[in-house]
Every structure is written in structure tokens, then in C-alpha cells.
Amino acid sequence: MTEKVKIQEAFQYGRYTRRKYLILLAGIAIALTVFFVDLFFSIPYIQPSVLINAFLHPESKDVMHTILWDLQMPTVCAGILCGASFGFAGAIMQTLLNNPLASPYTLGISAGAGFGASLTMVVGLGGLTLLGTYMVPAGAFLFAMLATGGIFMIAKAKGFSADIMVLAGIGLVFLFQALQSMMQYLASPDALSGIVFWTFGSLNGVEWMEVGIILVLFLAAFILIYRKCWALTAMRLGDRRAEALGINTQRMRKWMFVLIALLTSTCVAFVGCIGFIGIVGPHVARMILGEDQRYLIPMSCVCGAIILETADILCGTITSGMEYPIGIFTSIVGVPFFFYLLMKKKSVKS
């Protein structure tokens, strides 16, 4: 009888895992579909068949080859990678801090990057030949990492408490937003237009080297963190229970938070402030696959990629001949979802 029960439980567990993997594969298929739709159907006045032909014949060095492989392809790849990175970062932060509203956007990392980019434009460093077009992303990356360091130092003084990290992040959001408003007040008309456009977020202008940098950081962070899936799942039960299982929760928060901050800072430095992907993506994944981090983490990446690519398609096609900043659409979707989470949760767990 006992052996029969074990066989039945093993069969049910196998069916459970197969169902999870099938859902994950379906999500990946949807992400690939959105990828190709964005690649071939989101450029106004160019027939998709022409772009498909350029895709199938990469050896032809004509104008369409340049448009597809040098302009459109890096943009779409950046959308997939940045969306996956934001979804991944949101899922890990929500797990580490046991807070459904935690994300790089709500913890001040994006706000720090926005201020860094604004400061670079106002001071005029964007015109220096030392780093060329990378001066603004460099400034954004620097201040995003400074914001991370600020959260890290405050949390360290309080034993890396989840509550302290969240509150420190919220405080930094207000600080950097105020500083950015000051930059906008002091900026020249040209610098002001650049600040406004950058803070809305855009995938345009991303090059292959930047895509490669994001890809390397994403794969490194994903592999290192995914190996600790079981520990992250245990941390959802609370610090005391996780520590009873032999998990050093403070150490986990330290190195994972630094990895996630490095990844998201790089993405924000290249594409601007694109908010709420880190909140919406993980929660959609959680609704579909639950809290098991083995499935939640990759599904959060997939959902983030789908959301950002879909927003990119809408930005380029909703009005013929005019492209809207992508951050507007992600915020339109994200803010109602944010309020939904606030209304759903009676209290935020710590």
C-alpha cells in the first residue's frame, strides 16, 4: 500500500512539473511571436515581406539589410533582454524583501539613473569626445549604482532588514526625483528636451555592443541566482523559517541585491527609465505558476519580455508616422496594476 501511494505521488508530481514546463514553453513561444511581430511589422511604410526577405537573405548588403540588421534588430533584441531583465529583477527583489511592490523602479535605482543622466546633460558632459554617446549612459549607471550603495549602507547599519531596505529605497526615489526636477529647472531648452525624452524611456538607438553587454550581465545574474531557487522559495516563508533551514538570509540579500542592481542599472543606462515592468511581470508570472522559484523566475523573465515588446509595438503603430516614448505605455499599464496590488493587500509582509 505504501509503495502504491509513493508511485501515485510520483506520478502526480511528474504531471505537475510537466504542466509547469508546458506553460513556460507556451510563454516562450508567445515571446518569440511578439519578437518577430515587432521585428517585421512595426516599421511604418515598409512592407513586412521586404523585411522578411532581408532577414532570410542576410548576405545581401542593401538598404533593407542595414535597416533590419543594424537598426531594427538591436532595438528589438534590447526590448526582449531589458524586459526579461526588469521582470527577473522584480521577481528577485520581491522575494528577497518579501514585498509585492518591490522593484528597481520603486526602490530608487531607476530614479538615481534618471538624475545621473539629467546631470550629465545639464552640465554638458554629453558632448565630450572622451566617451562619445556613452557619457549619458555612464552618468545614469554611476548614479544608479550610487543609489544601490545608499540602500546597501543604510540596510547594513540595520542588519539588512527587508523593511529598512524598502523604506530606504522609497526615500531615495523622492530624493532623486527632487534633484531631477532641479536639473530640469536649470536646464537649457536643448538639454531639457533631452532629459524629458530620456526619462520617458526609449529602445531607439541601442547598438549591438550594448545588447551584448546586457546579454552577458543577464546570463551571469540568471545563472548565479537560479542556482539558489530552493533558498529563494524558502525565504518566501519568512526569515526565521529560512534561517532554520540553514539559509543565511542577510548574505543572500547582499550579493543578490548587488547583482540585480548591476543588471538593472545597465539596462536603465542604455534605454532610459521604463517603469513598472518589474512589478507587473513577476505578478503575472506568479498568478500563472505560483511561488515556486524554479518556475517563477524564468516566467517572470518571459512576462517582462512580452510586456516590453508589446509596448514597443504599440508605441510605433498606434499613430501612423509617430512613435511615443515606451515608458508612457508601461506606466499606463503599471499604475492601475500597482493600485490593484495596494487594494488587494491589506498589509505588506516583511
Side-chain angles (χ1 to χ4, degrees):
M1 186 68 177
T2 305
E3 194 69 26
K4 185 178 179 180
V5 171
K6 289 181 178 179
I7 294 173
Q8 187 176 8
E9 288 178 350
F11 175 77
Q12 291 176 349
Y13 181 75
R15 187 170 60 179
Y16 166 82
T17 55
R18 283 194 299 271
R19 177 176 171 272
K20 298 286 187 182
Y21 284 122
L22 285 173
I23 294 173
L24 184 57
L25 288 174
I28 294 172
I30 294 172
L32 289 174
T33 301
V34 175
F35 173 86
F36 285 111
V37 169
D38 193 13
L39 186 64
F40 298 130
F41 293 88
S42 63
I43 303 180
Y45 312 119
I46 298 179
Q47 292 294 327
S49 58
V50 177
L51 294 172
I52 293 173
N53 183 66
F55 179 78
L56 296 175
H57 301 89
E59 69 279 359
S60 60
K61 303 297 182 180
D62 55 5
V63 176
M64 286 302 125
H65 177 276
T66 302
I67 292 174
L68 180 68
W69 290 97
D70 297 338
L71 299 177
Q72 182 70 352
M73 185 70 81
T75 298
V76 179
C77 289
I80 285 286
L81 286 173
C82 289
S85 298
F86 291 142
F88 174 56
I92 300 303
M93 285 187 171
Q94 288 165 17
T95 300
L96 290 177
L97 303 179
N98 206 5
N99 190 308
L101 305 180
S103 76
Y105 194 79
T106 56
L107 288 181
I109 297 175
S110 295
F115 169 69
S118 302
L119 180 63
T120 304
M121 295 179 199
V122 170
V123 175
L125 296 178
L128 293 180
T129 58
L130 179 63
L131 292 175
T133 58
Y134 290 100
M135 280 304 299
V136 173
F141 177 80
L142 174 62
F143 278 89
M145 292 308 295
L146 286 175
T148 303
I151 296 173
F152 192 88
M153 294 304 294
I154 295 172
K156 184 178 180 181
K158 294 293 184 179
F160 286 94
S161 165
D163 282 345
I164 295 298
M165 295 181 78
V166 172
L167 292 173
I170 292 172
L172 288 177
V173 169
F174 286 106
L175 172 63
F176 283 120
Q177 285 180 346
L179 293 173
Q180 184 169 326
S181 297
M182 183 187 298
M183 291 299 102
Q184 291 175 335
Y185 181 78
L186 298 174
S188 64
D190 290 340
L192 181 60
S193 63
I195 292 171
V196 171
F197 183 79
W198 195 91
T199 52
F200 281 153
S202 176
L203 299 174
N204 293 330
V206 179
E207 300 176 356
W208 278 118
M209 188 176 76
E210 297 162 359
V211 172
I213 293 171
I214 297 171
L215 176 61
V216 169
L217 287 174
F218 173 75
L219 291 177
F222 187 90
I223 292 170
L224 289 172
I225 292 177
Y226 192 77
R227 294 170 59 190
K228 297 293 184 180
C229 280
W230 68 274
L232 288 168
T233 302
M235 287 183 70
R236 292 295 295 175
L237 302 174
D239 284 3
R240 290 184 179 178
R241 293 184 181 180
E243 288 168 0
L245 295 173
I247 300 168
N248 189 331
T249 57
Q250 290 188 13
R251 185 181 177 186
M252 286 270 292
R253 285 197 180 96
K254 289 178 188 178
W255 70 267
M256 285 192 181
F257 192 81
V258 171
L259 270 180
I260 289 300
L262 180 63
L263 174 62
T264 53
S265 299
T266 304
C267 291
V268 172
F270 289 139
V271 303
C273 298
I274 301 175
F276 290 104
I277 301 292
I279 290 181
V280 178
H283 280 286
V284 173
R286 192 172 285 112
M287 291 174 184
I288 297 172
L289 291 180
E291 290 287 353
D292 192 331
Q293 301 289 317
R294 293 176 298 171
Y295 314 108
L296 176 63
I297 291 175
M299 195 63 186
S300 297
C301 298
V302 171
C303 289
I306 292 172
I307 293 169
L308 190 53
E309 281 298 314
T310 304
D312 189 43
I313 294 171
L314 291 175
C315 288
T317 58
I318 194 170
T319 302
S320 179
M322 182 177 180
E323 184 168 351
Y324 293 92
I326 195 169
I328 293 177
F329 281 85
T330 57
S331 295
I332 288 173
V333 174
V335 170
F337 199 86
F338 188 83
F339 286 135
Y340 164 75
L341 292 175
L342 288 175
M343 297 299 292
K344 185 179 179 181
K345 289 283 183 181
K346 293 182 180 179
S347 62
V348 178
K349 294 180 181 181
S350 59

